[in-house]
Amino acid sequence: MSSSAAASNRVAVHSKLTVVSDTPIDPGKTYPLSTLDHAMALHTLHLIFYYRYDRRDDDLGRLRHSLAEVLSQYPPVTGRLRRRPQDGNWEIKCNDAGVRVLKAKVAATLDEWLSAAAPGGGGCEEMDLAVWEDMPDEPNVWSPFRVQMNDFEGGGLAIGLSCPHMHADPTCATFFMKSWTDMYRQASLSHPPFFHPPGLRGRETPKTNTKSAKYYESKSKMETPVSLKMSTATFRFSEKTIKNLLSDIHNRCPDATPFEVLAALFWSSISNFKTHVGNQPCSSISICIDIKKRMYAPLPHGFFGNALHFSRVSCNLTEMHEGVLDHLTAQIHDHLSNLDEEEFWSAIEWLESKKSAEGQLPPPFTMYGPELTFANLEHVQAYAAMLGNSKPVHVSYHVGGVNGEGLVLVLPSPEDGLGRTVMVTLPEGEATKLCEDQAILQLEPTILLTNR
C-alpha cells in the first residue's frame, strides 16, 4: 500500500498480475546477498519513469512480454528471499516465482501531475505511482520486485519500480529498467547483468583502522531518530545554470563537478534555514557514492547488487554560517578526491569483522541518515531507458527508510549535458522552506512535484 494513500485518491490500482521469466531456472539455484547488500536492509528503492507515450491497446502485452524476456536474464529478480540455515544471512532462492505487476489509472494528465500535483500531496503523492510495502516476517512467498504501470488521462505512462535496497542500489535498478526497455525495443542489452557477490568481499588481510571504518563504527552506534513525516521537493537546473555555478567557483576549485557544487549549495541553504528557526546547522554531512568504477579492478556497469560507500564531511560552524559556496565545494571536492580504494575495502571489512561466531553479518543500521545525506547519482543512465523512440520526460528516485536530517539526491536531467535534477527529502515543512530559499531561487530552477 502506498505510504501516501491518505493524501491522494488520484491514483487507482485496478488490476494485479504476476510476470514470470520466459526461461525456467535450474532447480536449486540460489544467489547470496553480499556484505554491502545486507548493510542496506533498512531501506527500499522506488524509481518512477515518466513517458510522454500514448500507449496502444497491444502495448501492455508487449511490455509484459518484454519484461518476461528480460527476467530470463535476471534470475535473482524473480526469486524469493530466505535466510541461509548455515549462517542466518540472506540469500535469494531463484525459483521463477515472478514479479508482481500492478496496473493503475491516474486522474490527471501527465503535465498536470508533474507541474502541480494535488494540494498537500506533491512529492509525497508521487509515491502512489510505485509500491511501498514492508517486507513480511516470512518473505519466502513475497515478491521483492514490484512494478506499477500508471496510465495518465490523455496519454502518458509512469512506470514505478520498487525493491528492497538489499537487492539493488540505484545504479543497478536503473540498468534493470534500461534492460527491460532494451528488450521492448528489440535491442541488445547495452549492459548485461553481472552476478558476482564475491566481487566486493573483504580481503584475507582486513584493514579496519581507516577513517571509513571508524565512520561506519560511529554510524552503527547512532541512535535511530524518532520517525518523522518527510516531504519531498524536486529542483531541475539547466546546463547554463550549472556552467555558471562552476565558473563562479573556478578559481577556488577548478575541477569541481556538478554534484559537488550542488551539494555545497543545498548544504548551505538547508543549514541556514535550520539556524533561522533555532535548530542546529548541519555541521557535518554524509556523502554516498557509487564505487564500481573507482576500484583498481573496476566492476562492470551491469554489476548486480550494492556498490555504495558512505563517508562524512565536516565544516566548522563559522564556515557554515558564512556559507561560502566555493569554500564548501572545495571541501567536498577534496574529500572525495582523497577517498581511495583502501577506504572502500576497509568499510566492507569492518562490516565483516562484526560477524557472529556462526558467520551472521551484523544487524543493519540506518545508512541514509541520521545526518543529512547527499547521494551522487549524476552518473545513472535513467534517460537512456527509452520506450520506442520516447525517452523519459522525468525520472524520480525515492529511498524508503530515510531518517533524521534528510536526503539529497543529485541526478541527471532529461537534456544531455550538465543539467541536473536535485531531489530533496526533508522533515515535513522543511521542503517548503527550501522552495523559498533565495540562494536557490535566484538560479531559476524548475520546481516539480513539491509539497507546497
Side-chain angles (χ1 to χ4, degrees):
M1 178 178 176
S2 167
S3 62
S4 59
S8 165
N9 58 6
R10 296 200 296 171
V11 181
V13 174
H14 58 80
S15 62
K16 301 177 182 179
L17 56 96
T18 299
V19 175
V20 299
S21 64
D22 277 351
T23 305
I25 303 300
D26 294 336
K29 184 179 179 64
T30 60
Y31 185 79
L33 296 187
S34 72
T35 302
L36 292 184
D37 293 335
H38 280 79
M40 305 306 296
L42 298 185
H43 301 288
T44 55
L45 276 182
H46 311 270
L47 283 59
I48 302 168
F49 292 73
Y50 293 89
Y51 296 92
R52 196 176 301 282
Y53 177 75
D54 191 6
R55 184 167 60 74
R56 300 188 302 272
D57 290 340
D58 65 333
D59 281 352
L60 182 59
R62 289 179 58 208
L63 282 165
R64 190 168 58 225
H65 178 68
S66 57
L67 178 57
E69 285 185 309
V70 82
L71 289 177
S72 299
Q73 306 292 320
Y74 286 83
V77 172
T78 65
R80 297 295 182 260
L81 279 166
R82 70 179 185 184
R83 293 281 191 180
R84 295 196 304 189
Q86 62 268 38
D87 57 20
N89 291 324
W90 288 108
E91 69 177 3
I92 302 169
K93 182 180 180 181
C94 303
N95 57 3
D96 282 329
V99 170
R100 197 72 165 150
V101 177
L102 288 69
K103 293 163 39 181
K105 290 188 178 294
V106 184
T109 67
L110 176 59
D111 289 329
E112 288 170 345
W113 182 271
L114 289 175
S115 63
C124 288
E125 188 189 26
E126 185 185 36
M127 297 178 185
D128 289 336
L129 300 180
V131 180
W132 291 69
E133 185 175 274
D134 293 333
M135 183 174 71
D137 293 334
E138 299 294 333
N140 56 307
V141 296
W142 177 73
S143 174
F145 278 79
R146 293 177 179 244
V147 173
Q148 184 168 318
M149 298 184 185
N150 306 276
D151 283 310
F152 290 92
E153 291 182 350
L157 174 70
I159 299 178
L161 174 67
S162 302
C163 68
H165 211 313
M166 283 198 301
H167 278 67
D169 63 19
T171 307
C172 175
T174 302
F175 276 124
F176 171 74
M177 184 67 188
K178 185 178 184 306
S179 293
W180 179 12
T181 59
D182 285 344
M183 283 288 190
Y184 177 81
R185 294 186 295 114
Q186 298 182 327
S188 59
L189 301 191
S190 56
H191 299 290
F194 177 73
F195 301 105
H196 189 58
L200 289 174
R201 181 183 294 163
R203 300 163 296 188
E204 291 185 6
T205 306
K207 184 176 182 180
T208 58
N209 60 349
T210 64
K211 289 182 179 179
S212 293
K214 293 174 182 176
Y215 173 57
Y216 276 57
E217 174 83 36
S218 66
K219 198 173 182 66
S220 71
K221 296 177 180 178
M222 291 180 181
E223 290 187 15
T224 301
V226 176
S227 182
L228 299 174
K229 187 174 181 180
M230 308 296 276
S231 56
T232 302
T234 300
F235 304 82
R236 184 177 292 168
F237 296 91
S238 68
E239 179 173 42
K240 180 181 178 182
T241 295
I242 300 300
K243 283 183 176 178
N244 288 340
L245 276 175
L246 293 173
S247 176
D248 289 343
I249 64 167
H250 184 266
N251 288 340
R252 178 69 183 270
C253 194
D255 299 322
T257 66
F259 167 76
E260 290 160 356
V261 70
L262 287 170
L265 172 67
F266 279 83
W267 183 8
S268 174
S269 293
I270 293 170
S271 289
N272 283 339
F273 73 65
K274 285 181 180 291
T275 302
H276 290 157
V277 297
N279 294 331
Q280 287 294 318
C282 305
S283 58
S284 65
I285 60 172
S286 177
I287 292 186
C288 169
I289 60 172
D290 188 298
I291 62 174
K292 286 193 292 292
K293 298 302 180 183
R294 297 190 58 159
M295 312 296 280
Y296 175 75
L299 292 167
H301 285 293
F303 177 79
F304 188 85
N306 284 274
L308 300 179
H309 179 80
F310 292 79
S311 58
R312 177 184 288 143
V313 180
S314 298
C315 181
N316 69 49
L317 296 182
T318 301
E319 294 166 335
M320 181 56 63
H321 178 70
E322 293 172 353
V324 180
L325 186 63
D326 58 355
H327 174 76
L328 291 179
T329 303
Q331 279 202 303
I332 295 170
H333 176 78
D334 291 345
H335 170 79
L336 291 176
S337 298
N338 290 321
L339 279 179
D340 58 20
E341 187 171 0
E342 202 66 30
E343 297 288 336
F344 308 148
W345 285 119
S346 69
I348 297 169
E349 289 158 0
W350 180 86
L351 291 165
E352 293 180 348
S353 74
K354 301 302 177 181
K355 286 181 179 178
S356 69
E358 293 75 27
Q360 185 168 9
L361 286 160
F365 47 90
T366 302
M367 298 304 294
Y368 295 100
E371 57 195 356
L372 183 64
T373 303
F374 289 79
N376 183 356
L377 303 181
E378 60 183 356
H379 62 282
V380 297
Q381 298 184 22
Y383 293 95
M386 298 175 62
L387 285 183
N389 295 321
S390 301
K391 75 176 185 178
V393 296
H394 180 64
V395 181
S396 289
Y397 288 68
H398 292 273
V399 177
V402 173
N403 246 321
E405 299 288 348
L407 174 64
V408 180
L409 306 176
V410 178
L411 301 150
S413 282
E415 66 274 10
D416 295 329
L418 295 178
R420 293 292 183 268
T421 299
V422 180
M423 288 191 65
V424 186
T425 299
L426 298 171
E428 189 175 33
E430 292 188 6
T432 299
K433 294 184 178 70
L434 195 62
C435 291
E436 299 167 352
D437 182 83
Q438 291 305 307
I440 293 174
L441 290 182
Q442 69 181 1
L443 302 175
E444 300 181 344
T446 300
I447 302 178
L448 307 170
L449 292 162
T450 300
N451 314 53
R452 300 300 295 273

